[in-house]
Amino acid sequence: MITEILQMLTLGFLIGLTGALAPGPTLVATINASLKGGWSMGPLVTLGHAAVEILMVLLIVAGFALVIGDHAVLIGGIGGLALIIFGMLTLRDARSAVLPHTGEQTETVHPVLAGAVTSISNPYFWIWWFTVGSALIIGAYTGGLVLVIAFIAGHWAADLGWFTLVSASIHRGRFILEEHTYRWILGLCGLFLIVFGGYYLAGALLPAGV
């Protein structure tokens, strides 16, 4: 069980990192808040983002009994295919990805609220959770609630680490990663999603023992 928990922690971290790295409204909210509030804004934005994700996880787990039958294979297949698609999009976007920068003075919004609102208003967030997220959570839940917790903990560790790095860098006046390094990391995340998506899709479609 310890090995499975560590595997889920690692998987959750890697999957979470691919989403956290992608430029989006939550990253912009972190940068805007950090210009005024310093390094602590990253963890606070992450808290708001995580609060929304808690609701998503509870909804998925609550509906687990409704999909564990014939629909579980379908969800696993959709999740694997979605991972591959997201991986290809990430790999494509990594070639020209840039971190959003803003020095504009915007209206002050509490960072926790900003994290929640930017998550809810992001279509990518919903698509991810209704495809990849639900498949991974259901797959983890077959091994027990502890594996779900391990996956989410790893996922949140990636969010917290990345957004804290962003806010600390903005607070110091210079982002810690060079643009080409950021693109390489994002590209590696895309490759990971494609490889793991293929593995997950095969596991969902092929009979056990094949």
Side-chain angles (χ1 to χ4, degrees):
M1 177 59 73
I2 297 298
T3 301
E4 293 176 341
I5 291 175
L6 291 176
Q7 289 175 343
M8 274 298 164
L9 278 169
T10 303
L11 178 60
F13 181 84
L14 292 175
I15 294 291
L17 188 61
T18 62
L21 281 170
T26 305
L27 179 58
V28 173
T30 301
I31 293 174
N32 280 334
S34 301
L35 289 170
K36 300 178 180 180
W39 72 268
S40 63
M41 296 299 100
L44 291 176
V45 170
T46 302
L47 180 60
H49 176 72
V52 178
E53 291 189 322
I54 288 176
L55 296 178
M56 297 299 297
V57 172
L58 290 177
L59 287 174
I60 292 170
V61 172
F64 175 76
L66 301 177
V67 300
I68 188 55
D70 296 334
H71 295 90
V73 174
L74 177 61
I75 290 177
I78 293 174
L81 183 60
L83 278 167
I84 295 173
I85 293 173
F86 285 141
M88 294 175 65
L89 293 175
T90 300
L91 195 59
R92 182 200 66 184
D93 294 342
R95 299 171 58 184
S96 58
V98 293
L99 286 165
H101 297 283
T102 176
E104 298 178 0
Q105 295 298 314
T106 57
E107 183 179 354
T108 301
V109 177
H110 194 282
V112 176
L113 179 60
V117 171
T118 54
S119 299
I120 294 173
S121 61
N122 186 2
Y124 176 90
F125 176 86
W126 296 99
I127 294 172
W128 192 93
W129 273 106
F130 281 129
T131 55
V132 176
S134 60
L136 293 175
I137 291 297
I138 290 173
Y141 194 58
T142 58
L145 185 59
V146 65
L147 294 186
V148 175
I149 295 174
F151 176 81
I152 294 301
H155 184 89
W156 287 342
D159 289 337
L160 179 62
W162 173 245
F163 290 129
T164 300
L165 175 63
V166 169
S167 59
S169 299
I170 296 299
H171 180 62
R172 293 174 62 89
R174 180 177 182 274
F175 194 69
I176 194 170
L177 292 180
E178 298 293 339
E179 191 170 271
H180 70 278
T181 303
Y182 171 68
R183 290 176 178 177
W184 269 103
I185 295 175
L186 197 59
L188 289 175
C189 287
L191 286 175
F192 168 76
L193 286 179
I194 293 172
V195 172
F196 182 74
Y199 170 80
Y200 199 83
L201 183 61
L205 299 181
L206 295 179
V210 174

